[in-house]
Amino acid sequence: LFDYRRRIYLPEGGKEKEIIVDPSVVFIGTMNPQNYVGVNRLSPEVKSRSRVIDVDYPPFEEKRGGRTYYQSHEAEMLAANMEVLSELKQKEFRLCWDYVINGDKTNGAEMIVKGNEQIEKDIRRIYDVIRVANNLRRMYEAYQIGDSNEPMDFPTSLREVTDIAMEMNHRKGVAEIIKRVIPPKIDDRRQKRMVEQAIDATLGVKPTPTPTP
């Protein structure tokens, strides 16, 4: 059924019935990476009969003419969970994102942004959340492929950043909110501390001094 023969044989009345799949039929399946806890590995038979495509997180940074531009793909997903930003149409949000984050002051978004100061504040907060998430994802990837000896086995997913975006409707400090969502999910105390330090470093937050006895 899944290989070039595109057919399946079913027993029926002591005989074998052949069913040929229409050429337009496509089977699609999704799964988390196989190294995730609780994910079963695909069998060699399934892999042999499938086209496997790795789908990463939406691209964030893009180089254009020597400058770094920040894409709004993941930001659009998070904006849908924020009270003020969710009221913007997709095109309006993209214009506001480029106006605030990429410094495009000629795209006509000024009237939208100036009409509600919370729009710029929330866009900058989402930008910070994605920066932290991508940094933690890089740390996770580096450990998984052996480029880093720092243990990191918690993948920061869209679930975590969505939870953060939703909580930003009720709280202000981005670092505080991220620390309320991600580190508590990490069992290992060393990893938890490393993640907290990475959050502070990414956002430029000065670490809290450890009290001396």
Side-chain angles (χ1 to χ4, degrees), residues 92-169:
E92 291 175 332
F93 178 81
R94 290 177 177 176
L95 291 173
C96 291
W97 174 271
D98 283 337
Y99 178 89
V100 174
I101 302 302
N102 293 317
D104 185 353
K105 305 302 181 184
T106 63
N107 66 3
E110 182 176 6
M111 295 299 294
I112 303 174
V113 174
K114 298 300 182 183
N116 186 342
E117 62 179 17
Q118 192 62 40
I119 291 176
E120 180 169 354
K121 291 179 180 178
D122 284 348
I123 286 177
R124 292 194 182 281
R125 295 166 83 202
I126 285 182
Y127 168 74
D128 283 339
V129 170
I130 298 174
R131 286 200 301 131
V132 171
N134 280 341
N135 191 22
L136 297 179
R137 290 163 183 165
R138 283 191 289 267
M139 292 166 60
Y140 172 80
E141 179 72 12
Y143 178 65
Q144 295 299 316
I145 65 176
D147 286 349
S148 171
N149 293 324
E150 294 289 348
M152 182 65 171
D153 52 24
F154 181 80
T156 302
S157 71
L158 287 172
R159 284 186 292 272
E160 281 73 47
V161 292
T162 299
D163 286 346
I164 292 167
M166 294 175 68
E167 191 155 341
M168 286 197 296
N169 289 315

